[in-house]
Amino acid sequence: MKRSTVAFSDAAIADILEQSDWYEGQADRSLAQRWEEAVTATLLRIAQRPGIGSRRCRFTVDELRGTCRVPVAGFAKHLIFYQSREAEILVLRVVHGARDLESLF
């Protein structure tokens, strides 16, 4: 099976970097590095099998229908939201699941 390419929204890039900075500031560089590696591993799983994400996102905005979510490996409360189109995965956001999710999009 061919691996999909992964593209990122500007917001998703900012989410990943901001969370890494937060972990480094609150704990240490090793936790931030573990976060970065976990996000990377989860994204590789999504690229290999785009259908693994839950489609139970109930967004009311039409552009977000069909958006999938997958928890970040080892950081289960953090979710990667993405859309799968043909051979491309578009990562929309990487956020903590307790946030008001629809307001983030």
Side-chain angles (χ1 to χ4, degrees):
M1 175 190 281
K2 185 178 179 193
R3 182 181 295 177
S4 298
T5 60
V6 178
F8 296 86
S9 71
D10 290 341
I13 293 169
D15 293 338
I16 295 165
L17 296 175
E18 287 171 13
Q19 190 63 47
S20 180
D21 289 346
W22 189 88
Y23 280 133
E24 188 168 352
Q26 296 298 311
D28 58 22
R29 180 67 197 135
S30 65
L31 181 57
Q33 186 172 359
R34 202 175 92 210
W35 160 257
E36 293 163 6
E37 290 169 356
V39 169
T40 300
T42 305
L43 290 168
L44 287 171
R45 280 190 18 244
I46 294 169
Q48 291 169 342
R49 297 183 48 219
I52 66 170
S54 170
R55 292 188 184 270
R56 293 186 303 163
C57 302
R58 294 195 173 100
F59 295 116
T60 57
V61 179
D62 286 340
E63 295 85 35
L64 296 175
R65 293 186 199 270
T67 298
C68 299
R69 70 172 184 239
V70 171
V72 175
F75 295 83
K77 293 183 180 183
H78 286 85
L79 304 170
I80 296 176
F81 289 88
Y82 68 95
Q83 293 176 340
S84 178
R85 297 187 183 123
E86 296 180 24
E88 181 182 75
I89 303 297
L90 175 61
V91 179
L92 302 171
R93 297 299 304 253
V94 182
V95 295
H96 193 283
R99 296 182 64 185
D100 176 8
L101 298 174
E102 193 154 359
S103 71
L104 296 173
F105 291 93

